[in-house]
Amino acid sequence: MAGPGKWDETVLNLAGPELYRRNAFRLLGLPLGASQRELSRRMQALKLQTRLGIKELKAAGLAVVPAPDEGTLREAASRLRDPQSRFLEEFFWPWPLKPEGAEEPDMGLLALEHGDVAGAIGSWEAASRSGETPGVAAHNLAVVYHALALDLECLGQTAALSPGQVKQRNAYWTHALTQWRTALGDEGFWEAAVGRAVGLGDPRVDREAVESLRGVLPSALLTINARLAARAAQSWDLDEARRHTGLLHGSGFDAGDVERALLRAAESAREAIRAACAASDQEAEAGARRGGEAATRLMDSAGPSLAVLDALLPHGHPVLAAHHDDVALRVLRPQVGYAKETDDWELSLKLLQRALPLARGEEACRRLRENIGIVENNLKLSRCWFCEKRPPDDAAKVKVPMHRVVARIPIPGGSRIQWQKLEAYVPRCRRCGAVHARVDSLSLLGCLIGAVLSLGGCAAVMAASHSKLAGFGWFVLVMVAMGFALNAASQLPRRRGVKPESAKLEFPGIERLKKEGWSLGEKPQGV
């Protein structure tokens, strides 16, 4: 055990779902004032019962099910032999309302010893109403209700609770947190706690130790629900997680204590995220080609822990936003280098799009969106512009001559133009090039056939009918038919999922050059 000034960590470690199921007095079935001699006799009796195979052990109310094994009982007895540990075991178990040695028995403890939990609760509720040691009565009610609630939480881990049990569990939680709040705010209760501490006769357990416990106890009690919420979130049971965080926020305890409890329960998830980020950094440093795998592995490994933080912390909490942004930006950093090294812009885009919903901060979101736009543009450049599927073929690229006027120099009778020329290229795959070539061939063939049919047919009709009007009609008919044929040929690329060759002017690179002052054609008009 740590010294009085360092009890915080000890109490916080105790604050878990097993707080009461591991209580030494509950496990051993001993009264709170049991002496060391009584403890030894009880342990001897338990050992004898174990050797004889007797499973039904004499135990106080709230007996633990299933019964503890011999090793658990030995550990419990060991805690009662150390005054510091014993004080905490006593603190989380019902106390007598009357001073030790009083003539009248404590009816609440007597009922609990005989397994009458309802009778014990009734006795302490009556004492609370009468004003007789109300702080201690509230403490006893808090302990019992808390233990009952956690017993049902434990049962719910192995079997579905009935509607009646769910209703009981919810009521127990409400009563437990209410009674704890009452007890912690009662000075008479804390004076009773000091009396119990001093009565153990150990200088390490004194008023200062009790004050240390008083400071940490609200946060420690709330940590139990926070850890249950974290456990539920880790199992993707978000409704259960929300139930426990709802209990915390509705408990009436100080908001700072609630936040500290949630952050404490979130620490293991935060540590897992930090470890995943460090592993991702190390993997990414091994080479740019590892950037894709590193980013995928980071989001896969950090995702469940981020979900735990989402369940525990309110939206907009700085700790939540910091961890989300840390993961999202670590996905971003190696992507450009990875895509340039591997030319796998498609995977890089998918990773950035997956990382964007993770980001919370405005700056992180802005950077991700900006880089998504860059990668989308690079992906277009790395694919055939006309089908946007296949890689481009250098032999099939489309040339787009362009020029830009640099200056107009006045000369006698006019001006002389100086210009620059540029050959821009639009990426195209071999298959799209073949489709465009076929369109050109069909168009040329259609024009030749149309010319022959129109001129030859026109002459033949005129000769046969001796009418120029009939010849003109034939010419018009052939031209209309040729128009339909050329239109059908122009639609061939679209039917095959390919943009027409004229779409080259819509290519982002061409549009960018036009914005920079370049015009289509090898030279200015009139030159």
Side-chain angles (χ1 to χ4, degrees), residues 312-324:
L312 294 178
L313 302 176
H315 185 76
H317 193 284
V319 169
L320 179 65
H323 283 292
H324 271 273

PDB file of all heavy atoms in Angstrom, residues 312-324:
ATOM      1  N   LEU A 312     -17.044   7.750 -25.100  1.00  0.00           N
ATOM      2  CA  LEU A 312     -16.806   8.282 -23.758  1.00  0.00           C
ATOM      3  C   LEU A 312     -16.838   9.797 -23.687  1.00  0.00           C
ATOM      4  O   LEU A 312     -17.374  10.368 -22.728  1.00  0.00           O
ATOM      5  CB  LEU A 312     -15.454   7.789 -23.235  1.00  0.00           C
ATOM      6  CG  LEU A 312     -15.312   6.284 -22.974  1.00  0.00           C
ATOM      7  CD1 LEU A 312     -13.903   5.969 -22.497  1.00  0.00           C
ATOM      8  CD2 LEU A 312     -16.334   5.811 -21.955  1.00  0.00           C
ATOM      9  N   LEU A 313     -16.262  10.461 -24.668  1.00  0.00           N
ATOM     10  CA  LEU A 313     -16.076  11.909 -24.580  1.00  0.00           C
ATOM     11  C   LEU A 313     -17.092  12.638 -25.451  1.00  0.00           C
ATOM     12  O   LEU A 313     -17.441  12.165 -26.533  1.00  0.00           O
ATOM     13  CB  LEU A 313     -14.659  12.284 -25.015  1.00  0.00           C
ATOM     14  CG  LEU A 313     -13.531  11.607 -24.216  1.00  0.00           C
ATOM     15  CD1 LEU A 313     -12.181  11.990 -24.801  1.00  0.00           C
ATOM     16  CD2 LEU A 313     -13.609  11.998 -22.747  1.00  0.00           C
ATOM     17  N   PRO A 314     -17.548  13.791 -24.993  1.00  0.00           N
ATOM     18  CA  PRO A 314     -18.540  14.541 -25.780  1.00  0.00           C
ATOM     19  C   PRO A 314     -17.927  15.071 -27.072  1.00  0.00           C
ATOM     20  O   PRO A 314     -16.724  15.324 -27.164  1.00  0.00           O
ATOM     21  CB  PRO A 314     -18.939  15.693 -24.842  1.00  0.00           C
ATOM     22  CG  PRO A 314     -17.806  15.823 -23.877  1.00  0.00           C
ATOM     23  CD  PRO A 314     -17.233  14.447 -23.710  1.00  0.00           C
ATOM     24  N   HIS A 315     -18.772  15.230 -28.080  1.00  0.00           N
ATOM     25  CA  HIS A 315     -18.319  15.754 -29.371  1.00  0.00           C
ATOM     26  C   HIS A 315     -17.701  17.135 -29.166  1.00  0.00           C
ATOM     27  O   HIS A 315     -18.256  17.982 -28.481  1.00  0.00           O
ATOM     28  CB  HIS A 315     -19.498  15.850 -30.340  1.00  0.00           C
ATOM     29  CG  HIS A 315     -19.094  16.267 -31.716  1.00  0.00           C
ATOM     30  ND1 HIS A 315     -18.476  15.419 -32.606  1.00  0.00           N
ATOM     31  CD2 HIS A 315     -19.212  17.465 -32.346  1.00  0.00           C
ATOM     32  CE1 HIS A 315     -18.230  16.070 -33.731  1.00  0.00           C
ATOM     33  NE2 HIS A 315     -18.671  17.302 -33.598  1.00  0.00           N
ATOM     34  N   GLY A 316     -16.551  17.345 -29.755  1.00  0.00           N
ATOM     35  CA  GLY A 316     -15.865  18.621 -29.619  1.00  0.00           C
ATOM     36  C   GLY A 316     -14.880  18.680 -28.473  1.00  0.00           C
ATOM     37  O   GLY A 316     -14.185  19.680 -28.317  1.00  0.00           O
ATOM     38  N   HIS A 317     -14.802  17.606 -27.662  1.00  0.00           N
ATOM     39  CA  HIS A 317     -13.821  17.601 -26.573  1.00  0.00           C
ATOM     40  C   HIS A 317     -12.417  17.665 -27.169  1.00  0.00           C
ATOM     41  O   HIS A 317     -12.102  16.955 -28.125  1.00  0.00           O
ATOM     42  CB  HIS A 317     -13.979  16.331 -25.742  1.00  0.00           C
ATOM     43  CG  HIS A 317     -13.251  16.378 -24.436  1.00  0.00           C
ATOM     44  ND1 HIS A 317     -11.878  16.222 -24.349  1.00  0.00           N
ATOM     45  CD2 HIS A 317     -13.692  16.571 -23.155  1.00  0.00           C
ATOM     46  CE1 HIS A 317     -11.511  16.303 -23.079  1.00  0.00           C
ATOM     47  NE2 HIS A 317     -12.581  16.511 -22.337  1.00  0.00           N
ATOM     48  N   PRO A 318     -11.545  18.525 -26.634  1.00  0.00           N
ATOM     49  CA  PRO A 318     -10.213  18.707 -27.249  1.00  0.00           C
ATOM     50  C   PRO A 318      -9.390  17.423 -27.322  1.00  0.00           C
ATOM     51  O   PRO A 318      -8.640  17.225 -28.283  1.00  0.00           O
ATOM     52  CB  PRO A 318      -9.547  19.755 -26.353  1.00  0.00           C
ATOM     53  CG  PRO A 318     -10.372  19.815 -25.102  1.00  0.00           C
ATOM     54  CD  PRO A 318     -11.749  19.434 -25.494  1.00  0.00           C
ATOM     55  N   VAL A 319      -9.504  16.556 -26.324  1.00  0.00           N
ATOM     56  CA  VAL A 319      -8.749  15.297 -26.360  1.00  0.00           C
ATOM     57  C   VAL A 319      -9.249  14.417 -27.499  1.00  0.00           C
ATOM     58  O   VAL A 319      -8.459  13.810 -28.235  1.00  0.00           O
ATOM     59  CB  VAL A 319      -8.863  14.560 -25.007  1.00  0.00           C
ATOM     60  CG1 VAL A 319      -8.317  13.138 -25.114  1.00  0.00           C
ATOM     61  CG2 VAL A 319      -8.122  15.327 -23.922  1.00  0.00           C
ATOM     62  N   LEU A 320     -10.552  14.355 -27.675  1.00  0.00           N
ATOM     63  CA  LEU A 320     -11.138  13.566 -28.758  1.00  0.00           C
ATOM     64  C   LEU A 320     -10.694  14.095 -30.113  1.00  0.00           C
ATOM     65  O   LEU A 320     -10.245  13.335 -30.985  1.00  0.00           O
ATOM     66  CB  LEU A 320     -12.669  13.604 -28.642  1.00  0.00           C
ATOM     67  CG  LEU A 320     -13.462  12.846 -29.697  1.00  0.00           C
ATOM     68  CD1 LEU A 320     -13.203  11.353 -29.589  1.00  0.00           C
ATOM     69  CD2 LEU A 320     -14.950  13.132 -29.554  1.00  0.00           C
ATOM     70  N   ALA A 321     -10.782  15.419 -30.293  1.00  0.00           N
ATOM     71  CA  ALA A 321     -10.394  16.021 -31.567  1.00  0.00           C
ATOM     72  C   ALA A 321      -8.910  15.810 -31.857  1.00  0.00           C
ATOM     73  O   ALA A 321      -8.518  15.524 -32.999  1.00  0.00           O
ATOM     74  CB  ALA A 321     -10.719  17.512 -31.548  1.00  0.00           C
ATOM     75  N   ALA A 322      -8.074  15.917 -30.820  1.00  0.00           N
ATOM     76  CA  ALA A 322      -6.623  15.778 -31.019  1.00  0.00           C
ATOM     77  C   ALA A 322      -6.263  14.381 -31.520  1.00  0.00           C
ATOM     78  O   ALA A 322      -5.449  14.231 -32.446  1.00  0.00           O
ATOM     79  CB  ALA A 322      -5.894  16.076 -29.715  1.00  0.00           C
ATOM     80  N   HIS A 323      -6.856  13.348 -30.931  1.00  0.00           N
ATOM     81  CA  HIS A 323      -6.533  11.984 -31.357  1.00  0.00           C
ATOM     82  C   HIS A 323      -7.080  11.692 -32.754  1.00  0.00           C
ATOM     83  O   HIS A 323      -6.421  11.036 -33.566  1.00  0.00           O
ATOM     84  CB  HIS A 323      -7.072  10.976 -30.350  1.00  0.00           C
ATOM     85  CG  HIS A 323      -6.241  10.871 -29.106  1.00  0.00           C
ATOM     86  ND1 HIS A 323      -4.962  10.350 -29.113  1.00  0.00           N
ATOM     87  CD2 HIS A 323      -6.482  11.235 -27.817  1.00  0.00           C
ATOM     88  CE1 HIS A 323      -4.463  10.380 -27.878  1.00  0.00           C
ATOM     89  NE2 HIS A 323      -5.359  10.923 -27.089  1.00  0.00           N
ATOM     90  N   HIS A 324      -8.282  12.167 -33.047  1.00  0.00           N
ATOM     91  CA  HIS A 324      -8.837  11.975 -34.387  1.00  0.00           C
ATOM     92  C   HIS A 324      -7.957  12.641 -35.436  1.00  0.00           C
ATOM     93  O   HIS A 324      -7.630  12.039 -36.472  1.00  0.00           O
ATOM     94  CB  HIS A 324     -10.257  12.539 -34.452  1.00  0.00           C
ATOM     95  CG  HIS A 324     -11.316  11.557 -34.084  1.00  0.00           C
ATOM     96  ND1 HIS A 324     -11.875  10.691 -35.001  1.00  0.00           N
ATOM     97  CD2 HIS A 324     -11.914  11.274 -32.906  1.00  0.00           C
ATOM     98  CE1 HIS A 324     -12.791   9.937 -34.411  1.00  0.00           C
ATOM     99  NE2 HIS A 324     -12.825  10.270 -33.132  1.00  0.00           N
TER     100      HIS A 324
END
